[in-house]
């Protein structure tokens, strides 16, 4: 608003030239300011030039009244120029340098009035000067230059401090004094000097002068400070806010008593109600719920206040007191009150549900649906309510109840209708996300019933269009998973069929595979698994996953088929794109089949495939390198050995031979970093392979072919090299001593002897084998006995081998500290038999020597040490050998054998009668022989 020019008397000629010159400079600068335009940049030097001139002019104080009056005129001209600039340019931002330059000019104008001081003819000069500082300070405050604003307000206060308020009658001037204190207080509050701010407001109470408008202005400032204090987190902020708001309430009530107009009364009542609402909010923040209800009661009864926030405050207070019924009444009253905005109503519902919990879910649903009947509700509000009812995860009955209520809420046709159209697309996506996440939480908790229901409801918010078909297919797939978890296989199949119609992919094919598995339809599952490979997004990982699922369902044929298909992807090469290495797949196949009886042939097939792939790819490529490769190689070798052992125990000797043969091949594999093969295990495997081949021959009663015999001999030759190397060592390490047992060398020798005999080899080869065994440190007399007995009988008997083996065995038994006379007697009988058969009568002395040796063994033994039956056999057979010489008249030979029989019989208990008969016969034979001799001499 422009300030009118004030007339001035002519300057007295007594003024100094310097004053005139400075005033002229000042006027020139102000003229420049009057010519300024907001369209052009303001010169930044203007305010500093004027201030420099004022500084020079201040040295000439005191001024005459005419100079003072001229300064006043110039000040008003500058002020009016600033007003014109501001009006033309509009409100400037705080960062606008042009706006700040204008404010500087305003402050220079105020400083000019302060320099001039009081002027005769100007009414209330101090108040006018103070008003300039007050208005400039307000602008500095708006620009958030609080230091400059405070400086202006303080200068204005100093100018009015000496005034007697009681003598001021002009309402505008009294209002200026009040506004100055309020503005200074506001600046102090903004710079966090709150004690000064409150003190200044308290001083302003003396300036009210009974005006309702003054009471309202001061009360509003108290209320503003109270609201600001309420925003503080600390507990002291609540107390300070309550104190300030009570001051404001007191001022509003006093203002009502002084109000003279209807508008003034209504304004103060509105301010009083607003203050009471904030006081109620303060009490609510301080959890003083009774006080909240008192404030609301005053507002409703006294002034009939129907502000929308009152039911919210009342509801929260009742909730704080635990009176949920009263809180529900307040909440329901908002449904009827059409003045309550949607945001407030939704906020109240959220607060009610937070306090009441699961028990309030049903009420929340009913209230929201009631709100739909009353007015238009946005889709965003429905999302907020659904999210609040669903909650943020959790488990137990409470979570299930909330999910059920949310499902009923979102499936209501009126709620679904809120999300129709493209305008609600964002809210529709949000609602789908809320329901989907809730369903996913329950799915993770294995609550498939609730999960399925929530997934179904989320489908209500997926439009039937091309853009959302993938999302719909995804929904059908997760519903399939839920029903799979509930073992509702028919429903699961319906959902996956729908998903496949919309988006046929590998996920659908795999879920159908799972359904067939759970239906125990293995053939269909295998067919579905094979069909997965035709899907455009198929990867071999799904075959591995199918095998895992089949194993979990104990569907061994399906698991084997899946892994076999996986192997088909690696034909002729390693599997760089496979989910796992070929060796792991084969190992898994063998492990699976090992848990099912009767699968030896399948296991053998995959073991052979592993052996074939070793030769095709190389050991390091197939098994892997370093420790990993060694573990894999050892696993196949050990399991081949174990399967061979089990097959042998079950008398499946053909499979036994195959497994041991594979074990020898696996043990002979040398990986990178190893010096040599596991020769001991190779030797054992080869030996047992041949042993199983011989056992299978006997079992099926079909002789081995010559080619098979030759193959077996080659295997034994490999084993023999290792055994020869080991047996030649003077000292074995602990592992070798544990691995090589005496019976291994015996089995090798026994089988080699048998097979060499089949090829009509000379007996020297067989004899050399037995001699080698007999000279080894692994030789055992019992093993030699078995070799000797075998060599002494049968169509392929070898008397040389038998004689050597039995003789060595007899020596070993006799040299024992505790001789086994049962075996000694058996050996003696067999040696006598072999010699009798193969040497005949031409070597009678050799047979006699064996009888003699047996007799000498018996000498000195206690009764029963030497087997009685064997001793009787020796005595009787020796006696019977004299029969032929007696018949032939060979008296010396007859006497030799009869005497041997008598000698042996003398050592056998229970042959006394036989011995007396023998002695009588010997005596008679001697007489006859003597008589014959005498007759011969006489003749």
């Amino acid at each position: 608003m422009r300030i009118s020019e004030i007339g001035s008397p002519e300057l007295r000629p007594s003024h100094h030239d310097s004053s005139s010159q400075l005033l002229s400079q000042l006027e020139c600068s102000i003229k420049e300011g009057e010519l300024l335009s907001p369209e052009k940049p303001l010169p930044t030097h203007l305010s500093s030039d004027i201030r420099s001139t004022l500084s020079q002019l201040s040295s000439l104080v005191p001024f005459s009244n005419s100079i003072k009056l001229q300064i006043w005129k110039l000040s008003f001209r500058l002020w009016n120029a600033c007003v014109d600039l501001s009006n033309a340019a509009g409100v400037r931002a705080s960062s606008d340098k042009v706006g700040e330059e204008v404010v500087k000019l305003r402050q220079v104008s105020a400083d000019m009035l302060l320099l001039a001081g009081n002027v005769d003819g100007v009414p209330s000069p101090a108040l006018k000067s103070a008003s300039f500082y007050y208005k400039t300070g307000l602008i500095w405050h708006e620009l958030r230059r609080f230091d400059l604003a405070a400086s202006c307000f303080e200068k204005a206060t100093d100018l009015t401090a000496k005034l007697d308020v009681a003598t001021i009658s002009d309402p505008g001037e009294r209002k200026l004094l009040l506004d100055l204190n309020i503005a200074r207080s506001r600046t102090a509050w903004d710079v966090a000097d709150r004690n000064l701010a409150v003190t200044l407001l308290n001083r302003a109470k003396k300036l009210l002068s009974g005006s309702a408008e003054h009471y309202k202005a001061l009360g509003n400032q108290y209320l503003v400070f109270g609201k600001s204090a309420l925003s503080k987190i600390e507990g002291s902020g609540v107390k300070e806010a309550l104190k300030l708001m009570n001051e404001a309430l007191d001022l509003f009530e006093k203002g009502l008593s002084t109000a003279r107009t209807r508008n003034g009364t209504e304004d103060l009542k509105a301010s009083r109600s607003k203050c009471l609402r904030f006081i109620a909010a303060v009490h609510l923040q301080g959890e003083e719920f009774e006080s909240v209800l008192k404030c609301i009661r005053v507002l409703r009864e006294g002034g009939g206040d129907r502000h929308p926030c009152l039911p919210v405050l009342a509801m929260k207070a009742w909730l704080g007191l635990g009176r949920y019924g009263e809180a529900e009444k307040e909440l329901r009253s908002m449904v009827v009150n059409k003045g309550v905005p949607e945001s407030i109503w939704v906020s109240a519902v959220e607060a009610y549900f937070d306090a009441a919990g699961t028990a309030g879910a049903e009420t929340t649903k009913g209230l929201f649906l009631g709100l739909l009947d009353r007015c238009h509700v946005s889709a965003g509000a429905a999302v907020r309510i659904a999210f609040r009812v669903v909650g943020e995860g959790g488990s137990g009955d409470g979570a299930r109840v909330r999910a059920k209520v949310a499902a009923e809420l979102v499936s209501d046709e009126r709620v679904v209708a809120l999300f129709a159209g493209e305008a609600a697309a964002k809210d529709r996506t949000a609602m789908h996300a809320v329901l989907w996440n809730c369903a996913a939480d329950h799915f993770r908790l294995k609550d498939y019933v609730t999960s399925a229901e929530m997934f179904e409801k989320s489908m209500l918010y997926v439009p039937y269009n091309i853009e959302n078909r993938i999302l719909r297919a995804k929904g059908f797939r997760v519903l399939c998973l839920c029903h799979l978890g509930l073992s509702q296989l028919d429903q699961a199949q319906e959902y996956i069929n729908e998903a496949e119609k919309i988006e046929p992919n590998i996920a659908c094919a795999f879920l159908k595979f799972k359904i067939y598995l759970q239906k125990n339809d293995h053939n269909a599952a295998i067919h579905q698994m094979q069909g997965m490979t035709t899907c455009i997004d198929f990867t071999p990982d799904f075959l591995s996953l199918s095998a895992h699922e089949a194993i979990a369902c104990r569907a061994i044929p399906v698991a084997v088929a899946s892994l076999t298909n996986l192997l088909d992807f690696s034909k002729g090469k390693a599997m760089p794109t496979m989910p796992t290495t070929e060796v792991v797949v084969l190992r898994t196949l063998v492990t699976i089949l090992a848990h099912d009886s009767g699968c030896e042939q399948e296991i053998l097939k995959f073991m052979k495939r592993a052996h074939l792939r070793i030769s095709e790819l190389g050991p390091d490529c197939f098994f892997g390198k370093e420790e990993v490769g060694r573990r894999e190689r050892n696993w196949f070798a050990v399991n081949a050995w174990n399967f061979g052992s089990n097959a042998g125990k079950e008398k499946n000797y053909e499979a036994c031979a195959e497994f041991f043969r594979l074990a020898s091949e696996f043990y002979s594999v040398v990986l990178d970093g190893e010096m040599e093969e596991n020769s001991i295990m190779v030797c054992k495997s080869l030996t047992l392979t041949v042993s199983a081949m011989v056992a299978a021959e006997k079992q099926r009663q079909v002789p081995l072919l010559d080619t098979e015999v030759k193959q077996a001999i080659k295997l034994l030759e490999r084993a023999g090299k290792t055994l020869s190397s080991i047996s030649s060592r003077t000292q074995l390490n602990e592992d070798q001593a544990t691995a090589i047992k005496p019976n291994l060398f015996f089995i090798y020798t026994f089988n080699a002897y048998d097979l060499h005999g089949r090829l009509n080899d000379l007996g020297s080869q067989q004899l050399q084998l037995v001699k080698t065994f007999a000279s080894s440190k692994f030789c055992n007399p019992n093993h030699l006995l078995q070799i000797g007995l075998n060599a002494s009988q049968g169509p392929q008997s070898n008397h040389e081998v038998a004689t050597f083996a039995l003789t060595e065995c007899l020596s070993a038994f006799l040299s024992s500290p505790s001789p086994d006379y049962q075996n000694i007697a058996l050996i003696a009988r067999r040696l006598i038999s072999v010699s009798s058969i193969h040497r005949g009568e031409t070597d009678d002395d050799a047979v006699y020597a064996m009888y003699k040796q047996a007799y000498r063994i018996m000498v000195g033994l206690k009764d029963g040490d030497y087997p009685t039956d064997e001793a009787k056999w020796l005595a009787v057979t020796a006696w019977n050998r004299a029969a032929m010489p007696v018949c032939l008249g060979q008296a010396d030979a007859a006497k030799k054998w009869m005497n041997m029989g008598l000698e042996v019989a003398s050592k056998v208990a229970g042959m006394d009668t036989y011995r007396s008969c023998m002695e009588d016969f010997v005596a008679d034979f001697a007489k006859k022989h003597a008589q014959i001799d005498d007759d011969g001499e006489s003749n």
Side-chain angles (χ1 to χ4, degrees), residues 764-892:
S764 59
Q765 181 70 29
Q766 293 177 305
L767 181 59
Q768 184 60 40
L769 284 168
V770 177
K771 285 183 177 180
T772 302
F773 174 66
S775 63
S776 72
K777 58 177 66 69
F778 300 109
C779 181
N780 185 304
N782 290 316
H783 293 158
L784 275 176
L785 174 59
Q786 192 168 350
I787 292 172
L789 293 175
N790 186 69
S792 65
Q793 61 190 3
Q796 299 176 359
S797 61
N798 187 325
H799 72 280
E800 292 181 359
V801 174
T803 302
F804 173 79
L806 292 173
T807 301
E808 291 292 322
C809 181
L810 181 60
S811 299
F813 278 130
L814 290 174
S815 62
S816 173
S818 301
D820 185 352
Y821 290 106
Q822 183 71 43
N823 284 333
I824 290 172
L826 176 61
I827 293 168
R829 177 191 284 214
R830 189 54 60 92
L831 280 171
I832 292 169
S833 301
V834 171
S835 297
S836 300
I837 294 170
H838 293 281
R839 296 184 182 184
E841 301 299 330
T842 60
D843 197 2
D844 186 68
D845 291 339
V847 177
Y848 180 80
M850 293 176 187
Y851 274 97
K852 196 68 177 177
Q853 185 180 14
Y855 168 72
R856 288 170 182 165
I857 292 171
M858 296 170 64
V859 174
L861 295 180
K862 297 179 182 179
D863 291 343
D865 285 351
Y866 197 92
T868 302
D869 292 339
E870 294 296 329
K872 288 181 179 181
W873 181 87
L874 287 171
V876 171
T877 55
W879 180 266
N880 289 340
R881 283 180 178 274
M884 185 62 68
V886 169
C887 294
L888 295 176
Q890 299 174 355
D892 293 337

Side-chain angles (χ1 to χ4, degrees), residues 657 660-661 664 684-694 715:
F660 278 127
R661 176 71 178 274
S664 71
K684 292 172 70 173
S685 301
L686 290 171
T687 303
L688 293 177
T689 299
V690 176
S691 183
M693 291 171 67
V694 174
L715 296 178

Side-chain angles (χ1 to χ4, degrees), residues 655-704:
C656 175
E658 293 282 357
F659 280 121
F660 278 127
R661 176 71 178 274
L662 284 169
S664 71
E665 296 295 339
F666 288 131
Y667 277 122
S668 64
V669 171
V670 178
L671 295 172
D672 182 33
E674 292 184 328
M675 299 301 296
E676 58 183 10
E677 64 183 14
N678 193 339
S679 57
I680 293 177
M681 290 306 299
V682 172
C683 174
K684 292 172 70 173
S685 301
L686 290 171
T687 303
L688 293 177
T689 299
V690 176
S691 183
M693 291 171 67
V694 174
E697 175 194 41
K698 293 178 181 178
Q699 186 182 53
R700 65 176 181 259
Q701 297 180 349
V702 176
L704 291 172

Side-chain angles (χ1 to χ4, degrees), residues 524-541:
I526 292 173
H527 180 73
Q528 182 65 30
M529 177 270 299
Q530 293 169 343
M532 284 195 295
T533 58
T534 62
C535 292
I536 192 170
D537 53 345
F538 167 79
T539 61
D541 298 83

Side-chain angles (χ1 to χ4, degrees), residues 260-293:
R260 297 291 180 268
T261 63
R262 183 176 179 179
N263 290 337
T265 302
E266 292 298 328
D267 289 344
L268 282 167
K269 283 184 177 181
S271 298
R272 174 179 173 274
S273 296
K274 181 179 180 180
C275 186
L276 276 173
R277 290 195 296 272
F278 274 104
I279 290 174
V282 173
H283 285 306
L284 185 64
Q285 189 167 340
E287 297 184 356
E288 298 173 357
F289 303 116
E290 293 289 352
S291 299
V292 176
L293 295 173

Side-chain angles (χ1 to χ4, degrees), residues 103-367:
V103 183
K104 289 179 183 179
L105 293 175
R106 285 177 179 266
Q107 187 161 350
V108 170
S109 175
D111 291 340
M112 290 172 65
L113 294 183
L114 179 64
L115 177 64
N118 293 336
V119 181
D120 294 340
V122 177
S124 304
L127 286 174
K128 285 183 171 60
S129 180
S131 70
F132 273 30
Y133 277 115
Y134 166 69
K135 293 174 182 178
T136 304
L138 290 179
I139 300 174
W140 280 125
H141 188 95
E142 289 177 2
L143 296 175
R144 304 195 66 77
R145 299 291 299 275
F146 299 122
D147 52 340
L148 298 176
S151 175
C152 289
F153 293 144
E154 288 169 2
K155 289 179 181 179
T157 303
D158 289 339
L159 288 170
T160 60
K162 297 179 181 179
L163 297 177
D164 185 3
V165 179
T167 61
I168 301 175
S169 58
D170 184 70
E173 294 178 352
R174 298 180 68 90
K175 183 68 166 56
L176 173 64
L177 296 176
L178 178 64
D179 290 343
L180 177 60
N181 274 273
I182 293 174
R184 187 182 173 196
S185 172
R186 186 164 54 248
T187 302
W189 184 274
D190 286 339
V191 296
D193 191 354
R194 300 195 172 185
N195 291 330
L196 175 60
V198 174
T199 301
L200 291 172
L201 286 186
N202 290 333
R203 289 180 188 174
K205 292 179 182 179
K206 299 176 182 179
L207 304 174
L208 293 174
S209 68
S211 170
E213 185 180 355
H214 292 184
Y215 280 109
K216 178 184 175 184
L218 186 57
N220 282 334
Q221 193 58 53
Y222 270 109
L223 184 58
V224 169
F225 286 171
K227 288 160 63 176
S228 176
L230 186 61
S231 64
K232 291 176 63 178
I233 299 175
E234 297 84 357
S236 60
V238 176
K239 295 180 181 179
E240 184 180 4
L242 187 60
K243 180 179 179 181
L244 291 169
M245 289 181 184
N246 282 328
E247 290 284 354
L249 181 64
D250 182 61
L251 289 169
F252 290 141
E253 289 178 345
K254 288 179 179 178
L256 281 172
S257 63
T258 61
R260 297 291 180 268
T261 63
R262 183 176 179 179
N263 290 337
T265 302
E266 292 298 328
D267 289 344
L268 282 167
K269 283 184 177 181
S271 298
R272 174 179 173 274
S273 296
K274 181 179 180 180
C275 186
L276 276 173
R277 290 195 296 272
F278 274 104
I279 290 174
V282 173
H283 285 306
L284 185 64
Q285 189 167 340
E287 297 184 356
E288 298 173 357
F289 303 116
E290 293 289 352
S291 299
V292 176
L293 295 173
K294 288 179 181 177
C295 290
I296 292 172
R297 194 175 299 116
V298 170
L299 285 167
R300 286 176 173 173
E301 295 176 357
D305 194 340
R306 293 292 181 267
H307 194 276
C309 76
L310 293 185
V312 179
L313 292 171
M315 182 203 70
K316 291 183 177 180
W318 289 121
L319 289 174
L321 294 173
R323 296 174 65 175
Y324 299 110
E326 298 295 334
E328 186 177 340
K329 289 179 182 178
E330 294 289 348
L331 197 58
R332 292 188 182 278
S333 69
M334 285 192 284
V335 177
V336 181
N337 186 356
K338 294 185 178 182
V340 178
E342 176 189 284
S343 59
I344 293 179
W345 193 94
V346 173
S347 175
V349 171
E350 290 175 337
Y352 173 80
F353 189 75
D354 285 342
T358 303
E362 194 67 38
T363 300
T364 302
K365 182 195 76 172
L367 290 172

